[in-house]
Amino acid sequence: MRHGKWSVYCVLISVLLLIIPTQVAAADKIKIGVISPMNFMQGRDAWDGATLAAEEINKSGGITVKGVKYEIDLVKADSNEFASVPDAVSAFERLITFDKVNFVIGGFRSEATLAQQELLAQYKIIYLNTGSAAPDLTARVKQNYDKYKYYFRANSVNSVLATPPVSATLQVVMDKLKTELGIQKPNVGLIMQKARYIDAMVDPVQKIVAALGGKVVGLWRPSATAPTLVAELSAAKEANAHLCFITFDGPAGVITDKEWGAMKFPFVNTGYNSEAQTKQHWEATNGYCEYSTNLGWIARSNITKANAPFWDEYVKRYNRFPSVYSATHSAMNVLKVAIEKAGTMGSDILVGELEKIDYPTSYFRQVFYQKDQKFAHDTIIGAGHATGYVTQWIKGELKVVWPDGKPLQTSEDAQSWQGIRYQGTAEYKLPPWVVEYWKGKK
Amino acid sequence: MLQNIVANGLIFGGTYAVLAGGFALVFGVARILNMAHTAFYMVAAYIIYSFISMLGMGSIVVSVLAIIMAVILATVCYILFIDRVKQHDLTVMVITIAIGMLFQEIILLIFKGDYHGVEPFIKGYLDFGKVRITYQHLFIILSSLIALGLIWVLLAKTTMGIAIRAISQDRVAANLMGINVSRVILITVGISAAFAAFAGAVVAPNLTIYPQMWMPPLITILAAVVLGGLGSLKGAIIGAFILGLVESAVVFLVPLGGYLREAVSLVTMLIVLLVRSEGLFGIVFEEEKL
């Protein structure tokens, strides 16, 4: 009987000994949820960017909080938000309640992110959103700070605040039309996908066109899944457009560039096309995207010291360019710096630390707007901060053509852009068929 | 503007017509509302992309292979999933939706959500006045007309065609007259899939190839088929061209509403149904003739 009793004690002690180290090990991890549509480019890039960052941070000793080193443990969540916004909310809640993550990064569709924001105050969880562009997302942080303060748009871009680089996509090509073809008042067609964040861009873009001396000759609003854009492109040609500002973030962005190049529509193609920033775009359009110009948030440059090494490692490992969605890489680093400075993972203290952060990430200098500003917790865009790039496809390569060192005419601080030009910036080239079509016609 | 509306309407309508023709054919004969119809179009586009980009094969050979493979796939799916429940229309419809989704998920697993493209079979373009049209677009319109002509010859001039029409008119009587109904239905399923794959083959160079590409045309061809009169091949084809023209007109006349192209197609269908409940060419809803 006595032996039996000791046997029970031994078993209990053994079990405790087995459990205790496991708990200690578990406590040394910081769990970060990465949420995005994982079967798509957006999700894959978000996961790859985060994975690369986690490996780098863990290799360099992890995140140190008050002398204790924590390893990063990533948790993948497929938001399925192309098909269903409720799925995106459920996946987010599952990350918090089931996977018990400490932080969440990623996100894509603004409609899904708006819904996910409703969970943040309830669970006091910080969300570094790296893929949504609707202005409402940060406007509501100012309007209801206590409820939405855990949300930060890190390394992603508010479509309204993106005015400087949007303006640059027009200025670069309009300057060239003026100097090379003598077209002083270019006709501008706007082909802008129907989407919440793009709705917010329509008026500003029209104002920029007018400020740069152009004339809007048509506005078309196709869907992101339109199988062909030949009707819109034909309509722009019929309206005598010298250039078209084209905005897409779905499959229609691929076919637009392909049809534009294959049918040699006689206008310049510029704007914001998320697909055009990918390495695969050249193959997907069979090279017909050549000479298209595009606004991007990441390119290989010397904008920060971390940019080129990150770009090179990413391309080497994944054989793809990092995209705006791979900005999970910089979001992770921002999080690490904030946690280490705060010395805690407590959400309320960390919010304050993130509001103070000024850190050169692999994308750009990350500084957030303050809580009393219109777009609180949004990334500051401007000279010396996140500048964005204008890129152009030339012979299979994505060349940076802006910032080009010239003042940005439509910007309130136009002169602050003077001299901002990254290493390797090329000169913008007009498509030869556009030159041929308009030479002498004006 | 009118020239452009007509030209683009013909481009849209040509593709929809080939897809809608196959859809109407299999409904007319087998009463299968095949919601996976455009999934075969997607599968064909992926086969063409894979064989051209990975194996470097010629586009014509690959297109023929894609059509053959889609036909085999469709007939296998019919035998495995549909044949045993073909008397239950609703079950069949749900099963075909599941088949379409299954193909989409398999493609997603293999190819991920990346976008792909195929080189045009014939490069270059023509200017007709204000209209710019590629040789590939002309090829789509011409080959669609040829394919539709071939199906008309098959249905009107061959024994198999007579059997297909007989079954579409009265399955029981056709059976009593000695026609092997099951065999003819199986062949019709194959022909229908061949139509979808053919559309995928000729249109692939003008599309972005991605796993959900089968969804947008499905809505439009459903509208075309109902507009023309369910089961009527002629009605489906004319309905497809009408909707092609309507979609083109929306872009030119209501540029801010381009994203509503599909919605306008559905509204057009509803208006026609309000005036004529059996559709444009439906004689009697259930007993359609060629």
Side-chain angles (χ1 to χ4, degrees), chain A residues 221 223, chain B residues 12 16 216 219-224 227 239-240 242-273:
Chain A
R221 303 297 308 271
S223 98
Chain B
F12 297 163
Y16 294 150
I219 297 163
T220 311
I221 67 157
L222 273 172
L227 171 70
I242 290 172
L243 294 187
L245 286 166
V246 167
E247 289 195 3
S248 172
V250 168
V251 174
F252 282 89
L253 302 176
V254 197
L256 290 179
Y259 65 98
L260 295 171
R261 274 183 351 197
E262 287 163 3
V264 172
S265 288
L266 294 172
V267 170
T268 310
M269 176 196 78
L270 286 174
I271 292 169
V272 170
L273 290 182

Side-chain angles (χ1 to χ4, degrees), chain B residues 58-256:
Chain B
S59 46
I60 303 293
V61 178
V62 167
S63 299
V64 173
L65 271 176
I67 293 169
I68 293 169
M69 288 168 81
V71 168
I72 294 169
L73 198 58
T75 46
V76 168
C77 283
Y78 176 78
I79 293 165
L80 285 181
F81 305 116
I82 299 171
D83 192 34
R84 66 192 71 188
V85 293
K86 63 178 180 245
Q87 306 305 327
H88 309 284
D89 294 351
L90 199 59
T91 310
V92 169
M93 193 178 82
V94 172
I95 286 176
T96 58
I97 292 172
I99 291 172
M101 295 301 294
L102 182 69
F103 286 162
Q104 176 187 300
E105 295 306 313
I106 291 170
I107 293 282
L108 201 52
L109 270 176
I110 299 170
F111 295 93
K112 303 294 174 194
D114 289 332
Y115 301 125
H116 301 287
V118 176
E119 281 275 4
F121 298 166
I122 315 161
K123 291 182 184 177
Y125 59 87
L126 280 173
D127 280 322
F128 293 110
K130 286 186 173 178
V131 177
R132 180 162 289 186
I133 190 164
T134 61
Y135 292 124
Q136 185 70 29
H137 284 134
L138 286 175
F139 178 65
I140 291 170
I141 296 169
L142 284 175
S143 54
S144 304
L145 292 174
I146 291 169
L148 294 169
L150 284 175
I151 198 69
W152 181 82
V153 169
L154 172 81
L155 291 176
K157 306 284 180 190
T158 65
T159 314
M160 175 56 69
I162 293 166
I164 290 172
R165 285 159 54 201
I167 293 169
S168 78
Q169 285 168 11
D170 192 326
R171 189 183 298 195
V172 177
N175 196 21
L176 291 171
M177 297 302 288
I179 295 173
N180 185 340
V181 173
S182 295
R183 188 169 145 261
V184 173
I185 288 176
L186 190 63
I187 290 170
T188 311
V189 167
I191 294 170
S192 169
F195 259 65
F198 174 78
V202 294
V203 181
N206 286 34
L207 291 174
T208 305
I209 299 172
Y210 64 107
Q212 292 80 17
M213 64 182 278
W214 64 291
M215 290 283 198
L218 179 63
I219 297 163
T220 311
I221 67 157
L222 273 172
V225 167
V226 176
L227 171 70
L230 258 176
S232 165
L233 187 60
K234 181 175 71 181
I237 291 162
I238 292 173
F241 278 104
I242 290 172
L243 294 187
L245 286 166
V246 167
E247 289 195 3
S248 172
V250 168
V251 174
F252 282 89
L253 302 176
V254 197
L256 290 179

Side-chain angles (χ1 to χ4, degrees), chain A residues 37-92:
Chain A
M38 289 299 172
N39 278 316
F40 293 86
M41 162 255 191
Q42 291 81 1
R44 187 186 54 199
D45 286 3
W47 181 252
D48 289 346
T51 304
L52 203 55
E55 285 177 14
E56 288 164 1
I57 293 169
N58 287 342
K59 201 173 167 185
S60 66
I63 296 177
T64 310
V65 185
K66 289 182 180 162
V68 180
K69 288 191 179 297
Y70 290 84
E71 269 204 348
I72 292 175
D73 189 11
L74 293 179
V75 182
K76 187 190 267 191
D78 183 2
S79 60
N80 192 35
E81 60 200 81
F82 275 107
S84 159
V85 168
D87 279 8
V89 179
S90 304
F92 198 97

Side-chain angles (χ1 to χ4, degrees), chain A residues 8-290:
Chain A
V8 171
Y9 288 152
C10 285
V11 169
L12 280 174
I13 289 165
S14 308
V15 168
L16 279 173
L17 285 172
L18 277 171
I19 288 171
I20 289 167
T22 315
Q23 284 179 333
V24 170
D28 288 345
K29 300 239 180 201
I30 294 178
K31 287 179 101 173
I32 299 177
V34 184
I35 188 160
S36 203
M38 289 299 172
N39 278 316
F40 293 86
M41 162 255 191
Q42 291 81 1
R44 187 186 54 199
D45 286 3
W47 181 252
D48 289 346
T51 304
L52 203 55
E55 285 177 14
E56 288 164 1
I57 293 169
N58 287 342
K59 201 173 167 185
S60 66
I63 296 177
T64 310
V65 185
K66 289 182 180 162
V68 180
K69 288 191 179 297
Y70 290 84
E71 269 204 348
I72 292 175
D73 189 11
L74 293 179
V75 182
K76 187 190 267 191
D78 183 2
S79 60
N80 192 35
E81 60 200 81
F82 275 107
S84 159
V85 168
D87 279 8
V89 179
S90 304
F92 198 97
E93 197 155 19
R94 186 191 150 93
L95 273 177
I96 303 166
T97 56
F98 182 78
D99 296 308
K100 311 270 184 215
V101 299
N102 303 95
F103 307 98
V104 182
I105 60 172
F108 169 50
R109 279 182 65 193
S110 296
E111 291 84 347
T113 310
L114 282 161
Q116 290 162 343
Q117 273 185 319
E118 300 300 327
L119 301 170
L120 304 182
Q122 184 186 343
Y123 294 105
K124 289 197 168 192
I125 191 140
I126 287 176
Y127 181 22
L128 297 188
N129 176 210
T130 52
S132 314
D136 333 26
L137 287 161
T138 46
R140 63 188 352 194
V141 176
K142 190 200 170 192
Q143 287 156 9
N144 192 345
Y145 182 76
D146 287 337
K147 185 172 180 188
Y148 297 115
K149 66 182 177 186
Y150 303 104
Y151 173 85
F152 288 81
R153 181 157 24 209
N155 304 86
S156 181
V157 178
N158 179 332
S159 57
V160 170
L161 293 175
T163 311
V166 166
S167 170
T169 60
L170 287 158
Q171 180 179 308
V172 166
V173 296
M174 284 167 85
D175 279 355
K176 205 70 172 176
L177 286 169
K178 286 174 191 170
T179 55
E180 207 163 297
L181 294 173
I183 298 166
Q184 295 306 317
K185 194 175 171 72
N187 294 329
V188 182
L190 309 176
I191 302 177
M192 302 177 79
Q193 177 194 317
K194 184 69 185 166
R196 192 182 179 100
Y197 77 93
I198 296 173
D199 291 346
M201 290 172 72
V202 174
D203 280 345
V205 168
Q206 297 198 63
K207 284 177 188 158
I208 292 168
V209 170
L212 289 170
K215 180 186 167 198
V216 173
V217 292
L219 168 63
W220 293 270
R221 303 297 308 271
S223 98
T225 55
T228 167
L229 267 292
V230 73
E232 281 83 353
L233 296 168
S234 301
K237 176 179 175 277
E238 202 168 308
N240 283 320
H242 296 104
L243 75 95
C244 271
F245 183 86
I246 297 172
T247 312
F248 280 108
D249 67 7
V254 178
I255 199 66
T256 308
D257 277 3
K258 187 172 176 177
E259 287 173 338
W260 169 76
M263 296 175 78
K264 297 203 179 336
F265 278 103
F267 46 77
V268 171
N269 170 349
T270 190
Y272 174 72
N273 182 349
S274 67
E275 292 309 316
Q277 299 160 43
T278 65
K279 195 167 183 240
Q280 292 71 25
H281 192 61
W282 183 264
E283 177 258 340
T285 61
N286 306 108
Y288 288 115
C289 63
E290 183 151 38

